[in-house]
Amino acid sequence: MSGYRTAACSAALCSAALLSLAGAGTAHADDTGSLTADQISQRSHEALLGAKSLHITAKGDLRTPGSPTSFDLTLDRSGNCRGSVSLGPQGSVEIVKRGADVWMKPDAAFWKNEVPGGGSALASLVGNRYLKGTTNDPVLRDTTGVCDLDTFQKYLDASAAMPATGLTKGRPATVDGTAVIPVTATEQGRTYTLDVAATGKPYPVRITVATGSAPDATVRFDGFDRPVPTATPSAAETVDISGLMSRMS
């Protein structure tokens, strides 16, 4: 298995690189609306890096038009994660991770595209169950590479793709019921809009990436510092990966 194209998920996170601008310090809880565009972006970046857990959803062509990706993940700094990732026609997979233990449930399209020649056989053996193992297994380790918040934050902090200049502060607005201050920037014909909470900690609320008037992609953040759900699939819902591979060999 090719690790379900971990790079695809990382590419999705590239759209959030708007947050990764120069500067460091401690996130503030003052009135975001009184800050400059650069200050809003910097403090949103700081607030994101300081989060212990979060829920992130994304949908659309997050880097290259024609390559739709979507995901819905709740993750924390302890390596716990729960959610799903879709690669469009390439398939989708549900993921549950508690520490080093991993459960994943791919759909038929995922098996077919990620395990050429053997996907159908694996899909038949697993059925509508989760593949269970640990991060010691390279397949599952690659699959959950983006499920650790520390990894996500380090990736984000190293991906300062957007310049720290040329940012524009917009008028106050409301996104998903939250008052926000938008900050925009344009690069290579794509416009990035970062909506930051207007009061309290300046957490990012939404990022949109657009070519022209229609959004190519949307990324939403919420659930900051809330715990990842602890429920895991039961034994009846799982197939152990080590036993499965021995049957396939």
Side-chain angles (χ1 to χ4, degrees), residues 20-98:
S20 191
L21 301 173
T26 303
H28 301 268
D30 48 11
D31 182 4
T32 302
S34 66
L35 305 176
T36 67
D38 287 347
Q39 289 172 327
I40 292 171
S41 182
Q42 177 182 326
R43 292 186 182 180
S44 179
H45 167 234
E46 294 166 1
L48 181 63
L49 293 185
K52 296 178 180 178
S53 62
L54 60 83
H55 174 229
I56 178 171
T57 61
K59 184 176 182 179
D61 297 328
L62 294 159
R63 179 161 59 170
T64 304
S67 59
T69 302
S70 64
F71 59 90
D72 184 332
L73 294 171
T74 301
L75 59 162
D76 66 19
R77 287 186 174 180
S78 298
N80 301 314
C81 176
R82 188 180 189 93
S84 61
V85 175
S86 171
L87 303 178
Q90 299 300 309
S92 63
V93 58
E94 296 178 30
I95 300 170
V96 178
K97 183 173 180 287
R98 297 299 299 176

Side-chain angles (χ1 to χ4, degrees), residues 111-112 115-121:
W111 282 122
K112 178 181 178 181
V115 191
S120 296

